Amino acid sequence: MHADETTLCIPVADAEVDGIVSRPENASALLVLAHGAGADMRHHGMVALASTLAAHGVASLRYQFPYRQAGRGRPDRPPTLVACVRAAVDAAHRLETGLPLFAGGRSMGGRMTSTAQAEEPLEGVDGLIFFAFPLHPAGKPGTDRAAHLAKVEVPMLFLQGTRDRLADRGLVAEALEPLQPATVHWLEGADHGFGVLKRSGRTPEDVLAEVGASVSRWITRSLRRRRA
């Protein structure tokens, strides 16, 4: 599905960050999409994710965090990242698309989005979508990073690879079991970057197609429940 792309500037405190809106024809929703710690919104993984979402009828607004806008490699402190998440959601409202609004992101970007939502609900956001939520550092299993999710009161979708070293499958189940409503879609054989081994018989494109289809189905179900 063809998607029109437009760029915009998003004011954050006393600065600005860039954003890119990808909107396919007949879009069903708009996802405010944050990048991970080691990438930016123009990273090939983010571009591919926006493309596959568009192919499944989901528009996206991906944006830079201030440290990447400034060309730095080290992430900003959480309060700055959270402020940027809020600014991006505000920018999505100003687009006046009339589409239901969701928010989330890759890895750290998703965690900062849920942190923002837990601290104070993001205006008009109907649900959160996480692409490889980083439950713990590699080699240091734990669930502390999920503690704030108990304060999130909108539906959540977690897309997690079964080979993700930052999200032990058993610990993900333990952390999310008491949360309602939270849905986990496991991507068989995928790592934290949604990469797969050649011997799996799958390709990165296969995984992305699964991601897009899962997000589209979940959004449709979530909106039906909200309207019921």
Side-chain angles (χ1 to χ4, degrees), residues 101-126:
L101 189 62
F102 293 81
R106 279 275 306 137
S107 193
M108 180 200 73
R111 186 162 72 95
M112 290 302 101
T113 301
S114 58
T115 299
Q117 177 71 24
E119 291 179 356
E120 182 180 347
L122 297 164
E123 182 183 356
V125 168
D126 292 317

Side-chain angles (χ1 to χ4, degrees), residues 2-7 20-24 47 50-51 54 60 62:
H2 173 72
D4 292 326
E5 287 203 340
T6 57
T7 59
I20 299 176
V21 180
S22 298
R23 181 171 182 174
V47 174
S51 179
S60 63
R62 63 190 196 271

